[in-house]
Amino acid sequence: PVIITSTLARGAISMSKHKVIVKELGTIQSFGEMDILCTDKTGTLTEDKIVVEKYMNVHGDDDYRVLRHAFLNSYFQTGLKNLIDHAIIKRGNSKSFSSLLEQYYRVDEIPFDFSRRRMSVVLQDEAGKRQLITKGAVEEMIEISSFVEVNGKVIPLDEISKQIALETYEKYNNDGLRIIAVAQKNEVPGVDVFSIKDESEMVLIGFIGFLDPPKESSKSAIIALKDHGVRTIVLTGDSGGVTKKVCNKVGISTAEMISGLEVEAFSDNQLKESLQTCDIYYKLSPSQKERIVSVLQADGHTVGFMGDGINDAQALRQADIGISVDSAVDIAKETADIILLEKDLMVLEEGVLEGRKTFGNINKYLKMALSGNFGNIISVVIASLFLPFYPIIPVQLLTQNLLNDFSQIGIPFDKVDSSYIRKPRKWDPKSIMRFMFVMGPISTIFDILCFGILWWIVGANTKDLSPLFQSGWFVFGTISQILVIYVIRTARVPFLQSRPSKQLFISTLSVAIIAIIISFSNFAISIDMMRLPITFLFWLIALSFAYILTVQWVKHIYIKRFKEWL
């Protein structure tokens, strides 16, 4: 527990240097396993600096009345104002629309929701005239509009005028502008409470276009994630046109794009099949984002989801790794496992690599500890069959384990081979068991050789000399367990092709010296052992050297046979 927790804590500290805050330590290993990143578009792939670029009627001509109505809607709503609202209010203030505010007061509002994709306010002016003003997604707004305003005249919204409006929308949407529609009506009931049914027979007055340019770093970040085995899938509530424009610029394939309506009609098997090739899903509801993440998980993927809005909370909770940003809404930050202090995929890529390093170091420790303990169990069983005394007693075993733990305290700081972090890694119990059954008996073979040297050469073959025998196995068991760390920690040749960290080298060297001092001095008496003769030092070096060479040789065969090491 100490080594694993220390490794996770070290990973969290390292990730914090990359401006990544880990809320749950266990998430770090999931970060290293992640092979699919689902992300929202706004603010992740884009600059998150939305500005009003155009306000126009349905023919595409500039029209201040559209901006005026949108300004009143955004200002008087009491819900959470998003970036679009702030952009509208900022542009309205620059046009001195703030002087209008004294002429109106809010009667009621119909809040935004993700099924309607619009919100409304009911305002009353000084003369007592009431007006319902609505803004929202274009298709949904056209559905509730029965009229359209053109050149100051209100005419029925027939198929021809509807087609003109949609062509204007698609033209600017395909140019990369995020478009919303604005509508109003004056025939408002004289009541104080309004509902969704009042959003009907509206007068469509025009569109507002927003610009949110792609981040320069997004393309290189997506390429870097792909190079490290992480596929990026865009899940957005935005329209297809602006999503396609942004994704083209950041290097995500737009050859296939699927809308929320199509997702709704898909069975899970159809959705799973589409996820094999499609990287862009647009106009999604919160539940559809969650469903896509769930289907990916059911297909065996470890999925991260990055989002910062209320509409992302369900997907953040469903994902294996929920990722949000410091500027996100509270529910997104509370749901997320990891918080980025910068809304940048490059920061995320650094976190992924750090997660894989942490995962690698934990895997080193588990395989080393399990194989070593398994080998020791076999050694003790064999020794108990032939020796007239215990090969080691509890106080000596506890001391040896304590020394080994201190020698391994440098593992959290160890380096990980670049080839290991190149792709996602998952827990594989079969791999760990196979490693244990192959490598454990090797240590048993050399333990038996050590027993033979102590029995026949050193002469520790009576009950009275059992403390001498125990001292010999104590020092060899400690030294061999320390040295094997260097072989297990890398699939390459230790020291020559892969060097350990300074911290690991110091911790192992220090403990090795302490073990030798204890066994070859009168300190041995303190744990019921006898001082070893200096001649045993030669056998200790020879056995340890032979053991490491054998493990390295078996490692070469193991990698060739199973195509893996850690």
Side-chain angles (χ1 to χ4, degrees):
V2 173
I3 303 299
I4 291 177
T5 305
S6 299
T7 305
L8 291 172
R10 172 63 183 173
I13 293 170
S14 297
M15 289 171 74
S16 70
K17 294 177 181 177
H18 297 298
K19 300 184 179 180
V20 178
I21 296 175
V22 179
K23 291 171 62 179
E24 297 288 340
L25 284 181
T27 306
I28 297 175
Q29 62 194 43
S30 298
F31 217 174
E33 293 180 46
M34 184 176 73
D35 61 338
I36 289 183
L37 171 67
C38 295
T39 178
D40 191 15
K41 174 184 67 65
T42 304
T44 305
L45 303 180
T46 62
E47 292 287 353
D48 205 12
K49 296 177 181 177
I50 293 179
V51 294
V52 175
E53 186 73 10
K54 196 163 183 66
Y55 33 90
M56 55 192 167
N57 60 26
V58 294
H59 290 281
D61 302 321
D62 291 347
D63 191 337
Y64 281 107
R65 291 188 71 252
V66 179
L67 179 61
R68 177 181 180 274
H69 281 77
F71 174 80
L72 292 172
N73 176 285
S74 292
Y75 183 87
F76 280 105
Q77 70 145 312
T78 60
L80 182 66
K81 289 181 171 60
N82 58 26
L83 293 173
I84 285 177
D85 291 309
H86 289 299
I88 291 172
I89 292 170
K90 183 177 180 180
R91 178 56 66 91
N93 286 332
S94 71
K95 301 296 182 183
S96 301
F97 287 168
S98 55
S99 60
L100 298 171
L101 301 176
E102 297 178 0
Q103 303 174 26
Y104 295 91
Y105 76 90
R106 182 182 61 254
V107 177
D108 197 10
E109 67 181 296
I110 308 170
F112 178 88
D113 66 55
F114 294 102
S115 59
R116 290 166 42 248
R117 295 167 63 83
R118 59 181 180 266
M119 71 84 49
S120 303
V121 295
V122 180
L123 303 180
Q124 183 169 310
D125 63 15
E126 296 170 329
K129 176 186 174 183
R130 289 189 171 188
Q131 188 177 30
L132 175 66
I133 303 175
T134 306
K135 74 176 191 299
V138 174
E139 288 90 343
E140 285 77 0
M141 291 293 291
I142 289 178
E143 284 179 9
I144 63 169
S145 297
S146 300
F147 306 92
V148 60
E149 186 174 312
V150 181
N151 298 325
K153 296 181 179 180
V154 176
I155 61 174
L157 183 63
D158 55 21
E159 288 302 319
I160 295 175
S161 54
K162 183 184 292 187
Q163 186 62 33
I164 291 172
L166 288 172
E167 286 176 357
T168 301
Y169 158 63
E170 290 170 0
K171 173 186 174 183
Y172 289 98
N173 186 246
N174 291 334
D175 283 341
L177 290 185
R178 185 176 181 181
I179 305 293
I180 65 169
V182 181
Q184 63 89 27
K185 73 174 180 179
N186 296 324
E187 291 74 23
V188 181
V191 297
D192 294 331
V193 179
F194 293 81
S195 65
I196 295 172
K197 67 181 181 180
D198 293 301
E199 295 176 328
S200 61
E201 298 187 349
M202 304 289 294
V203 179
L204 179 66
I205 60 175
F207 307 116
I208 296 186
F210 304 87
L211 185 64
D212 188 11
K215 286 180 181 175
E216 293 184 4
S217 63
S218 293
K219 186 172 184 177
S220 56
I222 288 169
I223 292 173
L225 285 169
K226 185 178 180 181
D227 289 342
H228 288 96
V230 180
R231 175 188 170 199
T232 302
I233 299 178
V234 176
L235 307 181
T236 180
D238 276 357
S239 62
V242 67
T243 301
K244 183 175 183 178
K245 191 79 172 181
V246 170
C247 290
N248 273 329
K249 289 185 177 181
V250 300
I252 296 177
S253 173
T254 58
E256 186 179 0
M257 296 174 58
I258 294 177
S259 70
L261 287 175
E262 293 174 280
V263 170
E264 194 67 30
F266 282 166
S267 66
D268 283 352
N269 284 334
Q270 289 173 316
L271 182 56
K272 175 183 173 181
E273 186 177 343
S274 77
L275 284 163
Q276 304 297 320
T277 55
C278 182
D279 292 333
I280 302 173
Y281 293 80
Y282 65 96
K283 293 203 75 173
L284 296 175
S285 68
S287 60
Q288 288 169 344
K289 291 183 180 182
E290 179 187 29
R291 183 185 173 206
I292 288 172
V293 171
S294 178
V295 168
L296 286 167
Q297 290 172 319
D299 197 27
H301 296 286
T302 301
V303 184
F305 182 87
M306 185 173 179
D308 64 351
I310 297 173
N311 58 328
D312 296 319
Q314 291 176 244
L316 283 167
R317 183 179 64 248
Q318 177 64 39
D320 298 290
I321 314 102
I323 306 161
S324 194
V325 292
D326 191 39
S327 58
V329 298
D330 289 343
I331 190 171
K333 288 192 287 187
E334 289 173 6
T335 307
D337 305 300
I338 289 174
I339 305 292
L340 306 185
L341 298 183
E342 286 186 1
K343 204 170 186 179
D344 191 343
L345 286 178
M346 288 303 293
V347 175
L348 191 61
E349 191 252 350
E350 293 289 347
V352 167
L353 296 183
E354 196 60 50
R356 290 182 188 175
K357 291 177 184 176
T358 303
F359 184 88
N361 282 332
I362 291 176
N363 221 21
K364 290 176 190 177
Y365 171 73
L366 286 177
K367 287 191 171 182
M368 179 188 62
L370 288 172
S371 61
N373 288 339
F374 180 63
N376 285 340
I377 289 171
I378 299 174
S379 300
V380 170
V381 170
I382 292 173
S384 67
L385 295 175
F386 299 100
L387 296 178
F389 49 80
Y390 294 121
I392 196 166
I393 60 175
V395 66
Q396 297 158 5
L397 185 61
L398 289 172
T399 303
Q400 186 184 68
N401 284 341
L402 186 64
L403 289 173
N404 285 333
D405 285 343
F406 275 110
S407 72
Q408 295 156 8
I409 206 70
I411 288 178
F413 303 90
D414 194 25
K415 302 172 185 176
V416 178
D417 293 342
S418 58
S419 58
Y420 184 84
I421 62 175
R422 204 168 288 149
K423 63 180 182 179
R425 303 284 176 172
K426 294 182 180 291
W427 288 118
D428 187 355
K430 290 182 179 179
S431 173
I432 294 174
M433 292 287 286
R434 181 171 58 235
F435 189 96
M436 181 179 76
F437 285 123
V438 171
M439 305 307 294
I442 297 174
S443 67
T444 298
I445 292 170
F446 282 87
D447 283 339
I448 294 171
L449 288 175
C450 180
F451 294 163
I453 291 169
L454 289 168
W455 184 271
W456 284 296
I457 297 177
V458 177
N461 48 22
T462 64
K463 285 188 177 181
D464 291 338
L465 291 176
S466 62
L468 184 62
F469 186 100
Q470 293 158 355
S471 184
W473 194 38
F474 170 86
V475 69
F476 174 70
T478 306
I479 297 297
S480 62
Q481 187 79 346
I482 289 171
L483 291 177
V484 82
I485 293 174
Y486 294 107
V487 183
I488 290 178
R489 62 168 293 276
T490 176
R492 308 169 76 184
V493 179
F495 292 102
L496 297 178
Q497 296 178 334
S498 178
R499 294 183 180 181
S501 66
K502 180 175 66 176
Q503 293 91 335
L504 181 60
F505 182 74
I506 291 173
S507 67
T508 51
L509 179 63
S510 301
V511 171
I513 293 172
I514 291 170
I516 291 171
I517 290 173
I518 289 174
S519 296
F520 287 89
S521 70
N522 290 330
F523 283 110
I525 300 171
S526 62
I527 53 174
D528 298 332
M529 299 192 309
M530 290 177 62
R531 179 176 181 173
L532 284 167
I534 200 67
T535 54
F536 183 73
L537 190 59
F538 165 78
W539 292 108
L540 177 63
I541 294 172
L543 272 176
S544 300
F545 188 69
Y547 174 54
I548 296 307
L549 287 179
T550 303
V551 173
Q552 181 64 28
W553 173 67
V554 172
K555 179 173 76 173
H556 177 74
I557 298 172
Y558 186 97
I559 295 173
K560 193 173 182 179
R561 171 67 176 83
F562 298 110
K563 310 299 180 186
E564 65 162 17
W565 182 241
L566 291 178

